[in-house]
Amino acid sequence: DVKVTQSSRYLVKRTGEKVFLECVQDMDHENMFWYRQDPGLGLRLIYFSYDVKMKEKGDIPEGYSVSREKKERFSLILESASTNQTSMYLCASSISSTSRTQYFGPGTRLLVL
Amino acid sequence: DQQVKQNSPSLSVQEGRISILNCDYTNSMFDYFLWYKKYPAEGPTFLISISSIKDKNEDGRFTVFLNKSAKHLSLHIVPSQPGDSAVYFCAAKANQAGTALIFGKGTTLSVSS
């Protein structure tokens, strides 16, 4: 059974703080993804990674960076949090670049004050 | 420009009746389509998928139909149950390594008893 875990379910941060969201998958998946979900906007891809130390920008990378030092871990970094980054953040993984099915973590609801 | 569109933000159905959720796409390179279901405060879970070489895929109460010429797919749930109440996301993938799923904005299904 695939398991994708996210370090926090809820986070409250202040504007300007540096925020780290961690995601770990235990199935040796090559690909990992970060999305944010906002009402009426669906799931929007921020960044994804198809290998260790590799990253690709998604649709909305501005204000975010990522780190993938180990295969099982993919971190999303908000360098200087802003109120418009208040959102639900979802991490996902898939077996390989040709795999179609993604498995999602439970999400982190981030509130930036 | 949205490549995957779910034009109905919400749908209300009575228990026992059929639910039909629709999805349109614009990119002819998409060759695989998925439906995800999401409950509040949880990550999306994979529901059913279809390859572009098929026009129908069935799994229990869930059937996905694909009309390639119209670039349209639909998810049928029969019979609908109150536990089906959730947000449903349509997603599509092109047959290219290193590409991510493209999600629609989602349709909120409410099934009343």
Side-chain angles (χ1 to χ4, degrees):
Chain A
D1 201 23
V2 178
K3 191 149 189 191
V4 180
T5 56
Q6 294 183 230
S7 52
S8 304
R9 293 301 303 270
Y10 301 95
L11 270 181
V12 180
K13 296 291 181 181
R14 296 208 175 272
T15 302
E17 275 193 79
K18 191 168 186 175
V19 182
F20 292 87
L21 302 182
E22 303 284 339
C23 175
V24 177
Q25 49 90 7
D26 66 357
M27 289 300 292
D28 202 35
H29 284 182
E30 289 182 6
N31 292 0
M32 297 187 76
F33 308 84
W34 275 106
Y35 295 87
R36 62 179 281 179
Q37 184 200 0
D38 302 287
L41 297 178
L43 294 169
R44 293 183 293 167
L45 181 65
I46 305 171
Y47 268 97
F48 66 103
S49 168
Y50 50 87
D51 202 352
V52 175
K53 297 192 187 294
M54 304 297 284
K55 61 184 179 184
E56 291 283 342
K57 291 180 181 178
D59 300 320
I60 50 163
E62 296 78 19
Y64 303 95
S65 62
V66 290
S67 173
R68 193 162 182 206
E69 296 296 318
K70 293 185 178 181
K71 192 175 185 179
E72 67 271 19
R73 188 180 298 269
F74 193 34
S75 303
L76 180 69
I77 303 151
L78 286 66
E79 294 290 341
S80 177
S82 62
T83 54
N84 63 13
Q85 291 179 309
T86 290
S87 186
M88 166 74 97
Y89 289 88
L90 292 158
C91 175
S93 71
S94 65
I95 294 172
S96 68
S97 58
T98 55
S99 169
R100 281 80 167 252
T101 305
Q102 293 180 7
Y103 301 88
F104 283 84
T108 295
R109 185 162 291 283
L110 173 67
L111 173 62
V112 182
L113 299 173
Chain B
D1 189 31
Q2 265 191 286
Q3 297 184 66
V4 178
K5 298 178 185 178
Q6 294 178 256
N7 291 319
S8 298
S10 63
L11 175 67
S12 294
V13 171
Q14 280 195 316
E15 182 179 7
R17 308 293 285 266
I18 185 171
S19 296
I20 300 176
L21 296 96
N22 293 303
C23 180
D24 297 294
Y25 62 96
T26 57
N27 189 341
S28 55
M29 297 295 290
F30 289 149
D31 71 338
Y32 201 79
F33 305 89
L34 306 91
W35 285 94
Y36 280 82
K37 176 179 176 180
K38 185 183 184 299
Y39 293 117
E42 292 184 16
T45 55
F46 169 73
L47 190 58
I48 193 168
S49 63
I50 188 167
S51 164
S52 60
I53 62 172
K54 294 186 171 183
D55 54 20
K56 177 182 173 182
N57 188 26
E58 194 171 348
D59 183 2
R61 296 186 296 115
F62 303 92
T63 303
V64 56
F65 295 92
L66 176 63
N67 181 336
K68 279 192 299 183
S69 60
K71 291 192 175 69
H72 176 84
L73 63 153
S74 60
L75 174 68
H76 293 213
I77 307 173
V78 182
S80 301
Q81 299 173 354
D84 295 329
S85 298
V87 180
Y88 289 79
F89 291 100
C90 171
K93 191 178 188 309
N95 186 19
Q96 270 180 284
T99 58
L101 290 179
I102 308 295
F103 285 86
K105 292 185 177 182
T107 297
T108 300
L109 173 65
S110 299
V111 180
S112 56
S113 52

